[in-house]
Amino acid sequence: MSAAVMFHPPKHQIQRFVEGELSAGMSVALSAHMEFCADCRRTAGAAEAELVAQWNAKEALQSPADLTGILDAITQQPQERANTPSTPVSRKLVVDDQVISLPRVLAQIASAGLNWKTVSNGIRSAKVDLDTDTTCEFIHMQPGSKAPQHSHRGNEVMLVLDGKFSDEMGEYGASDFVIRDPAHRHQPRTETGCICFSVLDSPLVFTEGWLRLWNPIGLALFQLTRWRRRKLI
Amino acid sequence: MNNLSLSLDRFSMGFMVLPESRAAHTPKSDALVTRETDSDEDLLIAVGNRQDRIAFNTLFARFSNRIFAMGMKLTRNEQLAHDLVQEALLMVWQKAPLYDLDRGNAQGWIFTIARNRCFDMLRKARRQPACVSADDIWPLEGESGELSTSGETGFQSVELSQVEQYYGQLPEAQFAVIEQIYVFDRTHEEAAELLKIPLGTLKSRLRLGMEKLRTLVGVEQ
């Protein structure tokens, strides 16, 4: 993770991250990126300071009648005198014969165990269920593999955890935060192998029971199948 | 020990002023009395260092509306926003001794608590999986900020006289804390009260100061 990070989340997204307005999946991707990106941490710090300075009450809270009761109830609780040490989570992720170190938040998520499934030749993915607004998965691309060309309805974020991949628009290395919006059609490929964390906003809803295909690569397969069918007809 | 404290006198002058004594527990009838002129930081320190109820009431009055507004914006649900006010302020009370002046102002600290609490509450209300929490996403830097026991023992093997020459190289704030704990042998609580800093700040300054001293000693040897 020592190489310079070249691709970052845009400022407005960092702002929404700090506000707590992003989905859990997207927040996880930003948090993981920031663990290795001092620039974005600074941006987030500045955004938070600004937000706090502007923090005021737009809607007045009707003081509950039993305010005194609430205060009493609270101040009778014991205080924490020391940080409760969080249970240490292993940062290691083992994929085949490869061992990589994960950002803290992803290590936490992966600690429940990952279930890898082959999506296409040389490409596997392990979905993690974080929320209903996004589809999140770890993606492992073996050296020399290529994802089918695809586009998607929502924004897709690929956070590079290890190795490199490239597409029509550039090459991405460790900690790069790559955003592809619905207008992009792209085909990720890798020479040396790559492990990513991917977040797809607004999951695709298939009415035909193709639930397994609701990830970007799955969608591409779905489109391919449809195209082949059309050709046959 | 005597020699050491004498040579340190120029540092300690400002810190020996005892604070006016205040009753640790305020009677319940004062529940809605507030202290409007104090800064948020002073109030939070009073809550953390001596469970000051009046200070807490003042913080409650200052922040409940703001937290409610945040809750409405993020949840668009009045009931959840109400719950947020209570849960976030409960957490402010519970975690006040951990507040660290060196890591930002009280408003920012309370903002972070409220936002994180809101994030977790909303996930729970939407029945989303509990595999990730707000504190994983927005980690506090140096969260495991406690001085490790092994480190403390390691330091004791160094002669005090030997350490003396390094004291001057410490930032004054860290020096003052180390002096209170190791020279005057005060408890963390007493030292925080004397220096008028939050317990959390005291602990982090102590840790940073000891780390620095250890590095200085190590470099020399």
Side-chain angles (χ1 to χ4, degrees):
Chain A
M1 298 271 177
S2 56
V5 184
M6 300 290 288
F7 297 87
H8 307 268
K11 207 180 159 188
H12 66 86
Q13 202 178 18
I14 294 179
Q15 168 100 24
R16 294 189 62 216
F17 167 74
V18 169
E19 283 181 63
E21 288 203 335
L22 292 181
S23 61
M26 211 44 96
S27 299
V28 165
L30 265 95
S31 169
H33 170 78
M34 280 184 195
E35 184 169 325
F36 297 105
C37 180
D39 284 345
C40 288
R41 278 203 302 274
R42 266 193 295 277
T43 308
E48 188 164 297
E50 200 179 322
L51 209 58
V52 169
Q54 292 167 355
W55 191 23
N56 51 29
K58 288 179 192 101
E59 295 158 77
L61 168 69
Q62 298 298 312
S63 290
D66 57 344
L67 184 62
T68 322
I70 293 169
L71 283 168
D72 281 344
I74 288 179
T75 52
Q76 275 160 23
Q77 297 295 314
Q79 290 183 319
E80 289 173 32
R81 312 305 288 181
N83 280 308
T84 27
S86 41
T87 12
V89 170
S90 167
R91 295 289 198 106
K92 279 185 195 159
L93 176 67
V94 184
V95 188
D96 293 345
D97 50 354
Q98 219 181 328
V99 182
I100 68 163
S101 174
L102 290 176
R104 201 183 99 126
V105 64
L106 291 180
Q108 175 69 38
I109 291 165
S111 67
L114 296 179
N115 184 14
W116 292 97
K117 283 183 178 154
T118 302
V119 257
S120 72
N121 208 5
I123 299 178
R124 291 185 303 159
S125 96
K127 282 217 182 70
V128 288
D129 185 15
L130 295 183
D131 57 36
T132 44
D133 308 313
T134 59
T135 304
C136 302
E137 57 196 330
F138 289 87
I139 294 176
H140 177 222
M141 299 174 76
Q142 278 174 0
S145 64
K146 205 191 270 187
Q149 193 177 59
H150 66 278
S151 60
H152 20 76
R153 280 191 230 167
N155 287 312
E156 181 191 24
V157 164
M158 302 269 276
L159 177 71
V160 182
L161 301 173
D162 190 75
K164 280 178 183 168
F165 83 91
S166 57
D167 65 9
E168 290 78 352
M169 277 157 279
E171 184 175 71
Y172 319 102
S175 299
D176 276 336
F177 190 95
V178 187
I179 306 175
R180 291 293 167 253
D181 69 29
H184 292 119
R185 281 183 70 80
H186 74 140
Q187 184 171 32
R189 57 185 173 273
T190 176
E191 297 297 319
T192 51
C194 185
I195 299 172
C196 291
F197 180 69
S198 144
V199 179
L200 183 63
D201 251 344
S202 54
L204 304 154
V205 181
F206 290 100
T207 47
E208 303 167 46
W210 291 67
L211 277 178
R212 257 204 78 227
L213 299 177
W214 69 340
N215 64 57
I217 291 162
L219 172 65
L221 291 176
F222 174 72
Q223 285 170 337
L224 272 176
T225 325
R226 203 163 54 183
W227 177 72
R228 279 198 193 119
R229 257 195 221 149
R230 238 184 255 136
K231 267 184 89 178
L232 286 174
I233 299 163
Chain B
M1 186 62 100
N2 243 351
N3 260 345
L4 186 59
S5 51
L6 274 178
S7 68
L8 305 172
D9 264 349
R10 64 196 170 96
F11 294 105
S12 47
M13 276 166 61
F15 306 114
M16 295 311 296
V17 187
L18 285 162
E20 54 189 298
S21 60
R22 285 202 183 96
H25 291 284
T26 320
K28 285 193 178 180
S29 55
D30 285 343
L32 292 174
V33 178
T34 55
R35 271 211 321 246
E36 277 314 317
T37 51
D38 288 16
S39 72
D40 296 331
E41 288 74 23
D42 287 344
L43 294 170
L44 199 50
I45 292 169
V47 172
N49 286 4
R50 50 172 192 277
Q51 298 83 50
D52 188 323
R53 280 174 51 97
I54 295 182
F56 184 72
N57 295 346
T58 315
L59 285 176
F60 198 108
R62 277 187 202 173
F63 283 92
S64 53
N65 279 339
R66 277 185 262 190
I67 295 172
F68 183 73
M70 177 197 270
M72 283 304 284
K73 186 162 178 250
L74 292 175
T75 71
R76 293 182 187 85
N77 177 315
E78 204 164 322
Q79 185 55 49
L80 282 177
H82 269 287
D83 293 349
L84 177 67
V85 173
Q86 287 188 39
E87 291 195 21
L89 283 162
L90 169 62
M91 212 164 255
V92 167
W93 169 263
Q94 288 173 326
K95 288 186 180 288
L98 307 178
Y99 167 61
D100 187 346
L101 205 53
D102 294 342
R103 292 212 193 104
N105 61 20
Q107 270 197 55
W109 189 79
I110 295 173
F111 173 89
T112 305
I113 284 190
R115 179 205 51 206
N116 288 15
R117 196 67 216 111
C118 191
F119 184 88
D120 287 341
M121 268 179 60
L122 205 51
R123 283 179 64 75
K124 202 175 167 192
R126 289 177 179 165
R127 296 171 200 286
Q128 290 174 345
C131 57
V132 65
S133 74
D135 291 340
D136 299 322
I137 292 174
W138 294 280
L140 294 167
E141 277 171 63
E143 210 161 300
S144 51
E146 293 301 294
L147 194 63
S148 65
T149 359
S150 59
E152 258 177 310
T153 3
F155 183 72
Q156 275 163 8
S157 65
V158 180
E159 296 280 314
L160 267 179
S161 59
Q162 206 184 337
V163 168
E164 199 182 335
Q165 55 179 309
Y166 302 110
Y167 274 147
Q169 296 179 54
L170 286 179
E172 189 155 337
Q174 291 171 13
F175 171 80
V177 165
I178 290 181
E179 182 193 38
Q180 289 294 329
I181 303 294
Y182 290 97
V183 180
F184 300 123
D185 212 17
R186 300 218 160 83
T187 67
H188 289 184
E189 284 76 7
E190 286 164 357
E193 191 62 36
L194 275 163
L195 299 173
K196 297 191 173 170
I197 56 172
L199 198 54
T201 304
L202 177 120
K203 286 181 180 175
S204 71
R205 285 183 187 169
L206 185 60
R207 180 174 53 83
L208 292 172
M210 293 303 278
E211 271 166 19
K212 175 117 197 243
L213 271 184
R214 223 170 279 138
T215 321
L216 290 171
V217 172
V219 165
E220 205 77 353
Q221 285 168 346

